[in-house]
Structures are given as structure tokens and as C-alpha cells.
Amino acid sequence: MTTRLSIINRWARWLHIYSAAPVLLLMLFYSLTGVLLNHTTWQLGETKKVNQIIDLPDYLLDLDWQTESAKTAFSVVNWLDIEHDIHGVDIEIGWELEESLLILNLETPEGSYTVEVYPEDEVAELFVLDLPFLEMLNNLHRGKHVTGFWRFLSDFAGICMFVFCATGLWLLLTNALQRQSTLSWVGLGAIVMVVTIFLMH
């Protein structure tokens, strides 16, 4: 029994160390941004707003603007990305055909772009919302308008954090010298969390 426990503990120590190592910076990131998210009244910087008029190229004017054409909308999105470095992770497309108006909303963790395209006037009006750096970090923490790779990285970090915490708890509980104090602190933390959640409801 002792030999089996020592083998398990050896693996638990290995997992405890190496589950945290690859995501250590992400653990620090989530802990710090978690504090920021708890204080929504804190001023995290200045949000910049920019309004700009852009001339439409001739090849876009030759497209179908009489119907809600996906080809036309994504041609505009592609033009904004290639020619003006304007792009978004989440894209919303809206049409107001009576006014020959295409409205694009491009969202990223750093902010957003709202583009109103007027083919009859041959221009696009651009409204830029540029968030401060710390607000962008908060959006990354929330998984708001993030890429698939960031979601994968966050999920991987979450699994590693779970393994790190579970193996740490196991190592404390199997340590006879620290078992009593560990159970006391874990129990106290559990009680505080349960009571807090209960009072919130």
C-alpha cells in the first residue's frame, strides 16, 4: 500500500509541476485580469473614437447593391482587410436596401469597427472604437470576440489549472503532517464560497 501510494504521489508531483509550467503566464494573466473584472468602475484607460470617410474602389461599385448579396458584403469585408487593415473576429452584416446602405460591424478584443457603405455616394463611413490595453485584456479573459486559437489556448490552460489544483490538493491530503490544517483551510474556503453563492441568490 505504501509503495503504491508513493508511486501515485510521485506521478502527482510530476503532474503538479508540469501542468503549471506551460501555462504559468496564462495563470498569472487570468488571475490579474480577474481582479480587474471585479472592479468595473476602475478607469482602465481612454477609449478612442475615430470617424473617417473612405472612397470606394470602382470594382466594388460594379457589384450587386440591389439585393442582400453576400458576395457584395464579403467583397467589402475583404477590401477593408487588404487595403485598410480593418478586420474583425465577429462580423455582423446588415442591409437597408431602401437607402442602398450596407452596414458592417466588425468586433475584436481591441475594439470595434462600424462601416456604413453608401454605393450611390461611392464612399464608406468608418466609425472606430479603440479600447485601452487593459480593457482588451479583460475581453481576452471573457473570451469576447476572440479567435478559435485563443479559445483552444484558454481551454488548454483551464485543463492544466484543474490538474494543477487537483494534484496539489492530493499531495496535501496525503501528507500526514499537513492533512489536518489542509482539511481545515479547504473546508473554510468551501463554506465561504457556498454561503456567498447562497446569499447572492
Side-chain angles (χ1 to χ4, degrees), residues 80-176:
L80 290 169
D81 185 14
I82 295 174
E83 298 295 333
H84 299 281
D85 195 30
I86 296 172
H87 48 80
V89 176
D90 296 326
I91 302 174
E92 293 183 4
I93 300 173
W95 289 89
E96 293 185 10
L97 295 178
E98 294 180 357
E99 301 181 14
S100 297
L101 173 63
L102 168 64
I103 302 174
L104 300 172
N105 288 315
L106 312 174
E107 302 279 356
T108 72
E110 299 95 337
S112 64
Y113 302 94
T114 300
V115 185
E116 298 181 355
V117 184
Y118 300 90
E120 293 183 354
D121 297 327
E122 302 182 4
V123 297
E125 188 169 8
L126 174 66
F127 302 91
V128 182
L129 186 68
D130 188 13
L131 299 176
F133 178 72
L134 292 178
E135 190 65 41
M136 181 269 288
L137 294 183
N138 283 347
N139 283 339
L140 289 177
H141 184 118
R142 289 187 289 243
K144 187 175 181 181
H145 309 307
V146 297
T147 62
F149 176 74
W150 178 261
R151 292 188 188 279
F152 167 79
L153 196 62
S154 297
D155 290 342
F156 176 72
I159 293 171
C160 288
M161 291 177 200
F162 175 82
V163 173
F164 174 76
C165 293
T167 53
L169 179 61
W170 170 264
L171 291 172
L172 286 172
L173 292 177
T174 55
N175 188 325

Side-chain angles (χ1 to χ4, degrees), residues 47-109:
T47 299
K48 299 178 182 178
K49 298 180 180 180
V50 178
N51 188 7
Q52 183 180 354
I53 301 294
I54 307 174
D55 292 328
L56 295 174
D58 292 337
Y59 73 89
L60 288 181
L61 299 175
D62 294 335
L63 297 176
D64 176 17
W65 294 94
Q66 304 305 314
T67 63
E68 297 183 4
S69 170
K71 178 182 177 181
T72 299
F74 283 105
S75 294
V76 175
V77 171
N78 189 54
W79 165 69
L80 290 169
D81 185 14
I82 295 174
E83 298 295 333
H84 299 281
D85 195 30
I86 296 172
H87 48 80
V89 176
D90 296 326
I91 302 174
E92 293 183 4
I93 300 173
W95 289 89
E96 293 185 10
L97 295 178
E98 294 180 357
E99 301 181 14
S100 297
L101 173 63
L102 168 64
I103 302 174
L104 300 172
N105 288 315
L106 312 174
E107 302 279 356
T108 72

